[in-house]
Amino acid sequence: MSKKAWEGRFKEKNDPLFEKMNRSLDFDIRLFKEDILLNKVYSKELKRIGIISEEELELIINGLDKIEKEIEEKGISLFTSDIEDIHMGIEDLLSKRIGDIAKKMHTGKSRNDQVATDVRLYLLKEINNIKAILKDFISCFIDIAENNIVVPMPGYTHLRQAQPVLFSHYLMSFVWPFLRDYQRLSDSVKRVSIMPLGSAALAGSAFPLDRENLRKDLGFLDISQNSMDAVSSRDFILEFLSIISLLCINLSRYAEDFILYSSEHFNFFELSDKVTTGSSIMPNKKNPDSLELTRGKSGRIVGSLMSLLTVTKSLPSTYNKDLQEDKEPLFDAIDTIKDLLNVNIILLKNLKINKENMLKSIDSFSFATELADFLALKGVPFREAHHITGKIVSDCIESKKRLTDLKKEDLISYCEKFKDLDDNWHSIEKILQKREIKGGTGINSVKEQIKMAKSILKDLC
Ligand code: ARG
C-alpha cells in the first residue's frame, strides 16, 4: 500500500466504501499519456527555475518514459487499490522507481490545474480523431450520390408522398448538416486549446513558472487568464457534448429514414448482412440493429450532456469534487460517437440500392403541384389553381384513378387553360428539369451541389 499524499493531516484511514467511491483511476487511467507529457514538460520548467537539478530532471524524464510503456503494457494492474486517480498513480509509480526525487515533481502545481490540463489535451486529440471519421462518413454520402445522380425517388413531407426528388439530392441533404457538425467541432478547438497549468489549486502558482514555455511545449493555442476560472470551468466539455449531441440528432434522423426506407414497405435499399441481425424465432427477419442502435445511442449521448449540465449547474466557485464526474460522460460520448460513425461507414459502403423500387413507388398524386403550377403560369391565381387541382385529385381518388390516367379532355373540363398542357407534363425528367434552381433537385443543380460539397470537404481543417 502506498501512503496517501495528504495523509499528514489525517489520523484515521478512509473507509473502504468511500475510498472506492472517491477513486477515479478506473476511468481516468485513459489520461495517462497526457498526464505523463504534462509532468515531463512541467519538470523541465521546474529545472529552469532551480527546483530540480539537471540530473534529477533526467531521472524524472526517463522514469516517466518507462512508466508510460509499463502502463501501455500492463494497464490498471500496475496500481495499488488505494490509489485515488491517475495523477497520484503516476507520481506513486515514479516514487517507487526513482525514489524521493519524484516527490519534487508536484511543486507549485495542484491536481486541480493538472486534471483540467490533461482533459483538454485528451479532448483535443479526440476531436481530431472524430473529425477524421466524420469526414469519411460524409464522403460515403457523396460517393453514393455521385454514383446515382439520376435516380428519382418519392420525396416526403409529414411522411406522406410530396413531390419526386433525385435520390442523389436526398443523400446530399445529409451531407450539409454533417458538414456543419464538423465545422462546429473545428470551431470549438480554440476554446478547448487553452492551458490551465500554472493556476495551481485556485490562486495561481507561487513559483515563477513561465506559462508561455509550458503552453508551447504542451501545444496549446493559448493560456488561461484567470486561475479560478481555469480550475473550475468545464464549459469546454459541455460545448463538445453539445456539438456531439447535435451530431447525434442528425445521425438519428438519418438512421430513422434508413430504417424505414430499407423496410419491406419501402424497399428502397437493402442493408448488408455485416450490419444487420436475424431473429431467434422468425427465420424471415433481417433487422436494422445498427441503425436502431445509432438512433438509441444518440439518446445516450444527449444523456451525457444532460448529466454534466446537471452536475455543473450552481457549483460554487473553483474546484469541487463534483467535477470528477465530468469524465465518464465525456469518455463514453467519445467512444460511442466513434463507434457509431465507423459502423455507419460500413453500412453505407455496403448499401444495396433498389433504384427500380424507388421509381415505381412514386405516386401519381405527387405530380399534382405540376398541374397547379401550370395554371399559375397561365395567369390563374395560385390559390385558385391549387383549388382546381385539389378537386381533380379528390375526384381521381373517388373514381380510383391515378392522376396520370386523366386525358387532356378530362383536365380541360376542370379548366380550359389546360388546353395548352404538354402531353408529357408528368414526365419525371421534365419535373426535375423545372427544378434547376440553386439548391433544387434538378440534375445540374445536384451536380453543382456535389461539386461544392466536395470542395468544402477537401478544404476542411
Ligand atoms: N481525480 C480528480 C478529478 O478528476 C483530480 C482532481 C482532484 N483535486 C482535488 N482537489 N481533490 O477531478
Side-chain angles (χ1 to χ4, degrees):
M1 286 282 155
S2 341
K3 267 190 165 182
K4 287 219 190 313
W6 36 259
E7 224 167 59
R9 160 82 173 76
F10 287 71
K11 293 198 178 64
E12 277 190 87
K13 291 223 163 309
N14 273 166
D15 184 275
L17 181 60
F18 166 67
E19 194 169 68
K20 187 164 156 266
M21 178 203 259
N22 194 35
R23 176 175 151 112
S24 54
L25 182 66
D26 306 277
F27 47 87
D28 67 19
I29 188 169
R30 70 160 89 188
L31 300 174
F32 79 95
K33 277 185 189 293
E34 286 70 25
D35 204 69
I36 285 174
L37 173 70
L38 181 150
N39 276 315
K40 284 191 332 206
V41 165
Y42 192 79
S43 300
K44 244 176 74 191
E45 193 54 18
L46 287 181
K47 194 228 127 211
R48 197 190 62 79
I49 61 172
I51 299 289
I52 55 176
S53 68
E54 180 80 52
E55 297 73 57
E56 288 173 330
L57 175 65
E58 220 183 293
L59 277 173
I60 291 178
I61 303 271
N62 290 341
L64 287 171
D65 281 341
K66 283 199 192 103
I67 289 171
E68 183 165 0
K69 287 205 187 76
E70 280 180 67
I71 303 180
E72 258 162 22
E73 280 159 25
K74 301 199 182 114
I76 195 102
S77 67
L78 273 179
F79 302 91
T80 48
S81 63
D82 57 332
I83 294 292
E84 241 184 88
D85 56 27
I86 189 62
H87 324 291
M88 296 295 208
I90 286 172
E91 205 181 302
D92 183 63
L93 288 181
L94 193 64
S95 300
K96 285 176 180 147
R97 307 286 183 279
I98 67 167
D100 281 354
I101 301 160
K103 295 180 182 161
K104 289 191 173 181
M105 202 169 67
H106 206 56
T107 316
K109 74 171 156 63
S110 153
R111 279 183 296 159
N112 297 355
D113 59 348
Q114 191 166 340
V115 71
T117 306
D118 285 356
V119 175
R120 284 177 185 265
L121 282 173
Y122 178 80
L123 184 54
L124 285 168
K125 179 175 81 186
E126 288 297 350
I127 288 177
N128 269 338
N129 291 338
I130 295 168
K131 275 167 56 180
I133 309 172
L134 182 55
K135 203 167 171 178
D136 285 350
F137 177 60
I138 296 172
S139 300
C140 290
F141 287 97
I142 301 182
D143 287 349
I144 309 176
E146 265 196 313
N147 293 331
N148 296 275
I149 301 242
V150 199
V151 178
M153 71 180 287
Y156 298 83
T157 63
H158 311 264
L159 213 50
R160 306 287 189 271
Q161 282 217 19
Q163 290 173 331
V165 290
L166 284 177
F167 176 51
S168 49
H169 190 52
Y170 165 71
L171 286 171
M172 291 303 293
S173 77
F174 294 111
V175 166
W176 301 100
F178 291 131
L179 275 175
R180 291 194 291 275
D181 292 322
Y182 186 103
Q183 287 159 342
R184 274 189 277 268
L185 277 173
S186 294
D187 186 66
S188 70
V189 166
K190 56 178 177 281
R191 284 175 293 278
V192 183
S193 191
I194 295 175
M195 186 195 71
L197 195 60
S199 303
L202 78 162
S205 181
F207 292 80
L209 304 164
D210 185 334
R211 294 188 71 207
E212 256 312 299
N213 279 346
L214 293 171
R215 178 195 73 76
K216 273 194 238 124
D217 288 355
L218 289 173
F220 279 101
L221 291 176
D222 208 347
I223 59 175
S224 56
Q225 298 299 321
N226 182 301
S227 57
M228 295 174 82
D229 168 44
V231 296
S232 62
S233 291
R234 294 295 183 268
D235 52 9
F236 69 101
I237 305 182
L238 289 170
E239 183 177 355
F240 170 77
L241 290 174
S242 307
I243 295 169
I244 295 300
S245 293
L246 285 180
L247 167 56
C248 276
I249 298 302
N250 288 329
L251 270 175
S252 73
R253 294 173 54 225
Y254 134 83
E256 172 64 11
D257 262 17
F258 273 50
I259 290 168
L260 275 174
Y261 292 176
S262 59
S263 72
E264 50 274 71
H265 303 285
F266 287 81
N267 204 2
F268 293 171
F269 10 92
E270 196 184 321
L271 304 175
S272 155
D273 289 359
K274 291 188 206 295
V275 290
T276 46
T277 62
S279 151
S280 59
I281 174 170
M282 298 163 286
N284 53 315
K285 292 301 289 291
K286 185 172 185 183
N287 295 326
D289 295 31
S290 48
L291 291 165
E292 290 168 302
L293 287 168
T294 301
R295 200 175 51 186
K297 284 180 189 289
S298 294
R300 173 187 177 133
I301 288 186
V302 174
S304 292
L305 169 64
M306 289 308 137
S307 156
L308 192 59
L309 280 170
T310 314
V311 166
T312 50
K313 183 194 169 295
S314 316
L315 277 184
S317 271
T318 85
Y319 184 82
N320 300 274
K321 198 58 174 270
D322 315 45
L323 292 176
Q324 182 162 286
E325 293 293 310
D326 62 355
K327 285 165 211 64
E328 284 161 296
L330 173 66
F331 297 160
D332 186 72
I334 289 171
D335 294 346
T336 308
I337 194 66
K338 289 199 295 193
D339 283 353
L340 287 183
L341 291 170
N342 278 323
V343 163
N344 281 290
I345 289 174
I346 300 172
L347 185 147
L348 290 174
K349 287 202 162 144
N350 292 282
L351 190 69
K352 195 174 148 257
I353 296 143
N354 299 333
K355 301 181 192 183
E356 248 72 285
N357 281 343
M358 287 196 222
L359 187 63
K360 267 199 327 230
S361 306
I362 297 173
D363 190 290
S364 77
F365 293 118
S366 66
F367 303 150
T369 315
E370 307 310 311
L371 291 181
D373 283 354
F374 173 81
L375 293 181
L377 275 171
K378 291 281 156 197
V380 181
F382 186 74
R383 283 290 153 241
E384 207 180 313
H386 186 289
H387 187 83
I388 295 167
T389 315
K391 180 82 178 91
I392 298 173
V393 169
S394 159
D395 290 349
C396 277
I397 293 171
E398 219 156 87
S399 55
K400 297 200 166 51
K401 277 187 184 154
R402 287 178 307 176
L403 194 57
T404 44
D405 290 340
L406 297 187
K407 306 258 164 341
K408 180 88 90 56
E409 311 84 76
D410 302 326
L411 291 171
I412 293 170
S413 72
Y414 289 91
C415 177
E416 59 96 26
K417 303 253 184 214
F418 278 128
K419 68 180 187 322
D420 298 330
L421 184 71
D422 188 340
D423 285 335
N424 233 357
W425 68 271
H426 48 70
S427 106
I428 300 267
E429 290 72 34
K430 272 236 157 92
I431 293 175
L432 293 171
Q433 250 168 38
K434 281 167 66 187
R435 285 167 174 82
E436 288 295 7
I437 190 166
K438 202 169 171 44
T441 194
I443 296 171
N444 292 319
S445 297
V446 173
K447 282 185 181 160
E448 268 306 301
Q449 186 189 162
I450 292 176
K451 214 166 108 197
M452 170 80 93
K454 280 173 84 174
S455 93
I456 294 176
L457 197 71
K458 188 166 72 56
D459 294 340
L460 280 182
C461 50

